[in-house]
Amino acid sequence: MPSPRTAANRRSSSCTEPGRTPPAGTRSARACGRRGIPWSPRPTRCGASGDAAYLAARLKTIKGPIVLVGHSYGGAVITNAAAGNPNVKSLVYIAAFVPDKGEDTLKLAAKFPGSHLSDDPNAPLPTALDAVPLGSGPTDVDLYIKADKFSDVFLSDRLDKAKAAALAASQRPVTPIAGAEPSKAAAWKTIPSWYLVATDDRTIGTENLRFMAKRAGSTTVEVDAPHAVLETNPDAVTHLILQAAHDNRPSLAKTGTSTTRTAAFGGAAALAVAAGTALVIRSRRSGSDA
């Protein structure tokens, strides 16, 4: 049986300095810790290409097979970071964005309704978000979910008020480029995938998650949970990751008329804010690296 090593990489609030503190307080971190799975530093969050470059560099330091996992915006990051790395054997998407090459998460966001990030489709900024200026440019801002919207949008009101308030106060921001930058790669086209659908997702929207999972041909599980499924259902997340680490691989969906078997993820709802977690798992096999 493989002995997985897992690391989680979370977005930093700085575009210049990668964060160095593991998200040890999350329930998923504690769940993985109980299984002997350590967590590592997180990358920055300056757009999928920048974050993917950071993560790709880390992946090159790992010998042996890798299972790469992304939550929310982290899905776009791993979709790019895994491209061209033969050691990445599986991708796991936890209520995550999975763009094709040339797609961005904002355009994928409008596929189906379900997100509570905005109640005005014509608003220049989703109405559940606050923009904190960082400079003089119109896009030089950090975006946060408003404190009074956080429990509904991110947690689907599944946690008590005190816990929700603490998470809202500690959320990490996203910049507009993270949602608007086109993906430069689509690793899911050649790497098997798993998908966890949160059936009460009010950030991306449950129907968008189902659309992506079906379009992908992923091995899919549905969990009665909010977008922040890592907080409310950490064991379900961990179980799916370990499934992938143990090589219970799905078949890849056929696309078009080609005989090549490929997998693809598509739409999602507005901006994925606050958790964009990416996970890395290394599985060691006895006597084999394959």
Side-chain angles (χ1 to χ4, degrees):
M1 178 181 293
S3 175
R5 287 183 56 195
T6 304
N9 298 281
R10 226 173 157 176
R11 288 177 314 206
S12 162
S13 60
S14 166
C15 280
T16 57
E17 301 258 23
R20 293 295 179 185
T21 306
T26 64
R27 292 188 64 194
S28 286
R30 294 193 294 272
C32 284
R34 290 195 298 271
R35 291 161 174 79
I37 304 173
W39 295 65
S40 83
R42 54 187 178 261
T44 63
R45 75 335 150 230
C46 304
S49 63
D51 288 346
Y54 174 92
L55 182 56
R58 284 232 16 151
L59 296 180
K60 290 178 182 179
T61 69
I62 299 174
K63 295 180 180 179
I66 299 168
V67 174
L68 197 56
V69 187
H71 169 248
S72 196
Y73 161 76
V77 176
I78 69 168
T79 295
N80 284 265
N85 188 328
N87 284 343
V88 179
K89 304 301 183 182
S90 304
L91 299 170
V92 183
Y93 293 97
I94 307 298
F97 287 105
V98 191
D100 197 352
K101 186 176 180 180
E103 291 180 331
D104 63 68
T105 58
L106 286 176
K107 290 182 180 177
L108 291 173
K111 186 71 179 177
F112 298 108
S115 171
H116 288 197
L117 277 172
S118 187
D119 54 17
D120 181 0
N122 298 315
L125 179 73
T127 56
L129 301 183
D130 266 332
V132 178
L134 298 175
S136 58
T139 61
D140 193 10
V141 296
D142 268 346
L143 301 176
Y144 296 84
I145 300 177
K146 294 176 180 177
D148 63 343
K149 301 288 187 181
F150 189 89
S151 181
D152 171 47
V153 172
F154 201 65
L155 301 170
S156 302
D157 296 321
R158 297 294 184 99
L159 299 183
D160 62 61
K161 290 183 178 180
K163 179 63 173 177
L167 289 172
S170 62
Q171 68 176 291
R172 293 188 174 273
V174 66
T175 56
I177 191 175
E181 182 182 20
S183 178
K184 294 183 178 180
W188 44 261
K189 288 188 173 182
T190 56
I191 301 173
S193 61
W194 282 253
Y195 202 104
L196 187 150
V197 172
T199 61
D200 192 15
D201 190 309
R202 301 178 190 176
T203 304
I204 290 177
T206 297
E207 289 308 310
N208 290 307
L209 303 184
R210 286 176 174 147
F211 167 77
M212 291 188 282
K214 182 177 180 180
R215 182 179 161 186
S218 299
T219 292
T220 302
V221 298
E222 293 203 356
V223 178
D224 179 18
H227 185 64
V229 60
L230 292 87
E231 286 289 340
T232 61
N233 300 77
D235 289 341
V237 174
T238 304
H239 179 74
L240 188 63
I241 294 170
L242 293 178
Q243 229 188 335
H246 294 172
D247 272 349
N248 295 319
R249 296 186 181 183
S251 61
L252 296 175
K254 290 184 178 179
T255 59
T257 58
S258 171
T259 58
T260 302
R261 297 170 69 82
T262 65
F265 280 100
L271 287 170
V273 179
T277 301
L279 307 173
V280 184
I281 294 182
R282 178 183 175 186
S283 273
R284 281 189 178 172
R285 295 185 170 283
S286 201
S288 173
D289 285 335

